[in-house]
Amino acid sequence: MEIAKKSIKEHRKYRGKFEIHSKMPLQNKRHLSIAYTPGVGAVSSLVAKNPKYVWNVTAKQNMVAVVSDGSAVLGLGNIGPLGALPVMEGKAVLFKRFANIDAVPIVLATQDVDEIISAVKWIAPTFGGINLEDISAPRCFEIETRLIKELDIPVFHDDQHGTAIVVLAALFNALKVAGKNLGKIKIVISGAGAAGTAVAKLLIASGSKNILILDSQGIVAAGRKGLTLEKRELAHLTNRKNIQGDLTAALVGADVFIGVSKPGILKPEMIKTMAARPIIFALANPIPEIMPVDAKKAGAYVVATGRSDFPNQINNSLVFPGFFRGLLDGRIGKVTQGMKLNAASALAGLIKKPSREKILPGAFDKRTVPAIARAVIRSLGRSRS
Amino acid sequence: MEIAKKSIKEHRKYRGKFEIHSKMPLQNKRHLSIAYTPGVGAVSSLVAKNPKYVWNVTAKQNMVAVVSDGSAVLGLGNIGPLGALPVMEGKAVLFKRFANIDAVPIVLATQDVDEIISAVKWIAPTFGGINLEDISAPRCFEIETRLIKELDIPVFHDDQHGTAIVVLAALFNALKVAGKNLGKIKIVISGAGAAGTAVAKLLIASGSKNILILDSQGIVAAGRKGLTLEKRELAHLTNRKNIQGDLTAALVGADVFIGVSKPGILKPEMIKTMAARPIIFALANPIPEIMPVDAKKAGAYVVATGRSDFPNQINNSLVFPGFFRGLLDGRIGKVTQGMKLNAASALAGLIKKPSREKILPGAFDKRTVPAIARAVIRSLGRSRS
């Protein structure tokens, strides 16, 4: 059976994907009196007097809200909160499956930036962290920035930073395989939305010096008219020489192509103009910017996609479970760029001898979550010291 | 070990009370492709095109938000959202234990009426119903009324209506035992907050003709100064003769005392002035308006409390699981007074031969949830026909 039909059938059968369980026994009156009245009154009093105890006696310590307004869902675009709910439930159960984190999907009946920020602030006391998901750019930037400022629990927009971390990890190993040095290569990013922007910024933080980033209008350049505030900042960060042009022009002599954009836009001819041993990350989902077989025919040395049916899958789900495991276990209030860099290094480091067909761990590699969690917590120690 | 200490110890041990489980298997790549990408894309597309399918393919169909601002928690008062969280987690796991409903505690970092209404509206798409909890009167009345108007999922303030339904059910059977008729008796309600107000209104809907309700200032009467809008309405509904006075005065000749107020305020002398075979529901928790032994010594014929360690426990937890089971299974958008009356009758009807010591089913009686759920769904059929 085709995957789409099978998926709909299974979702009907299981009536959605997540459910609540009690962690405490509730089999008799004694149990009820401990978990609920009258015993719970003492627990509530304790927290009311010493709010920090909420981290010890409630589920907050392990609870993440997966928040979306449904404005930029997968390849589907702005399908609204109800359409987004199956994806957010999926995300929630992946949190549990991979990192034993309890995540609740919260889809919002508003797409107004201020209202989204208010909603998240008001529901925050229940949660130990906020995972923003599938919120369209540039709104996602302001929402994340303001929530980070206003909340005392960590806020992480996975489409930005989960993607940036896993891309950077993959790139570390791809460069090793191709014998290239991050500080010396030219990188072209296709797609200047949430993911592309975060990838560019994390690459810069990790030492990349030569990046061009493109949106549907071509290379993001200070000289272009009608740039948003965010893109002007990107132009300033990446393209000091104000180079203008299309993808074909951008790729001449490039070492790395990172696509977080649209199916089929990378042509074999373009790869042929790139530097020796070019690295191609074609991450558009489900149909990549170029199919791996075509990329290799054109001379690509390392090829990765977002798909599980090709080698070298680059997928956020390698990152967000371990990253939040670290945030929660370290009781970390703010995510830093250092945590992201350390997480990328830790993930890359799990592959001792990377090869052209193996630059990242598989989806079910049990080392991944603890390695990333440790890297996140370690970063905190450093920044505190 | 004392229950308070034991409860704190257990809450620490279990790290709070609820967790998330996946209902779909996630053991291999095939599973992931069905529960998450790429399969989930088809599920999201389906819902985006036909929003009603959200009820078939997501957990919304069985999901309730337990929402509180922590402004009126148990006997603890306004302890805020973090203090309220242990209670709301408890409520959530009772939903699962008794009615297999998946409930998520949502405690709010605001106590502003408009902001609470906005927060609940914005998060509503995830849920099949909203259980408001421990929100202080009179704010709770406006919040509930406006949310009922603005949402297409049911909104139920348990402190009001859960209490009213279980009290009415208990009263039906207590009157049977005492040989009294609801239409002919005098009822005194001590406490004019959320619970007392809802009890009064449901008693009137069920045919009670002679009710006095008291707050800390005495009988609620149109002639009293400084009444809130809600209490003026209460005075109009209950006390047409504008009787004024204190509890002692109110109880002379009364058949029934319903206390949802304060420990120890009902004195034996007062009971002695009541009608023959008086019925005493002393529901203040954990210390009732009068202890059962004292009430009986003073002549009370049927005595009930909110406590599990005395006979005749009157507790909301007999009602809300079955009530929401009915709302969800019937996919009911609005709660009606008829549903509440039917639920009370169904609950009372489970005790075929009520006695002075047995007017309600026990907490673990398996007939309760299905009986109330059926009564709720049946009411819908009637109101539609």
Side-chain angles (χ1 to χ4, degrees), chain A residues 76-90:
Chain A
L76 302 169
N78 188 352
I79 56 171
L82 294 178
L85 188 50
V87 176
M88 302 311 135
E89 286 189 5

Side-chain angles (χ1 to χ4, degrees), chain A residues 163 167 189-197 199 213 257-262 281-284 289:
Chain A
T163 307
V167 164
I189 302 170
S190 170
T197 301
V199 168
I213 182 166
F257 167 87
I258 298 170
V260 282
S261 49
K262 281 183 186 161
F281 292 174
L283 308 180
E289 283 81 356

Side-chain angles (χ1 to χ4, degrees), chain A residues 14-16 18-20 89, chain B residues 23 54-56 58-65 92 95-96 99-104 126-129 321 324-329 331:
Chain A
Y14 288 101
R15 300 162 168 256
F18 83 107
E19 64 181 336
I20 305 301
E89 286 189 5
Chain B
K23 296 198 279 187
V54 76
W55 293 100
N56 302 108
T58 74
K60 179 182 176 84
Q61 62 193 285
N62 199 45
M63 196 67 51
V64 168
F95 265 111
K96 189 69 179 184
N100 196 31
I101 287 169
D102 301 300
V104 176
T126 304
F127 301 99
F324 268 94
R325 185 73 275 156
L327 292 174
L328 293 171
D329 289 350
R331 209 152 291 173

Side-chain angles (χ1 to χ4, degrees), chain A residues 7 23 26 34 44 59 83 97, chain B residues 7 17 26 34 44 83 97:
Chain A
S7 186
K23 294 198 280 188
L26 296 170
I34 291 167
S44 281
R97 168 65 179 81
Chain B
S7 186
K17 286 191 284 275
L26 296 169
I34 291 167
S44 280
R97 169 65 179 80

Side-chain angles (χ1 to χ4, degrees), chain B residues 306-377:
Chain B
R307 283 169 55 150
S308 60
D309 51 349
F310 298 130
N312 291 334
Q313 185 187 17
I314 295 185
N315 189 296
N316 304 18
S317 63
L318 287 176
V319 172
F320 71 80
F323 203 87
F324 268 94
R325 185 73 275 156
L327 292 174
L328 293 171
D329 289 350
R331 209 152 291 173
I332 293 170
K334 308 271 179 213
V335 175
T336 65
Q337 210 71 335
M339 290 172 196
K340 298 175 205 163
L341 293 174
N342 280 353
S345 297
L347 180 57
L350 291 176
I351 306 300
K352 298 301 168 203
K353 292 186 180 169
S355 67
R356 292 173 68 189
E357 307 284 297
K358 181 72 179 174
I359 56 174
L360 285 177
F364 292 91
D365 191 318
K366 286 184 179 166
R367 301 169 304 159
T368 304
V369 166
I372 293 180
R374 275 193 305 269
V376 168
I377 295 172

Side-chain angles (χ1 to χ4, degrees), chain A residues 119-150:
Chain A
V120 175
K121 278 172 56 183
W122 292 334
I123 67 169
T126 304
F127 300 100
I130 304 290
N131 180 106
L132 300 175
E133 193 78 20
D134 290 0
I135 300 175
S136 66
R139 296 152 61 252
C140 61
F141 302 119
E142 181 180 353
I143 291 169
E144 194 196 32
T145 305
R146 283 175 52 192
L147 282 173
I148 287 172
K149 204 175 291 176
E150 300 188 27

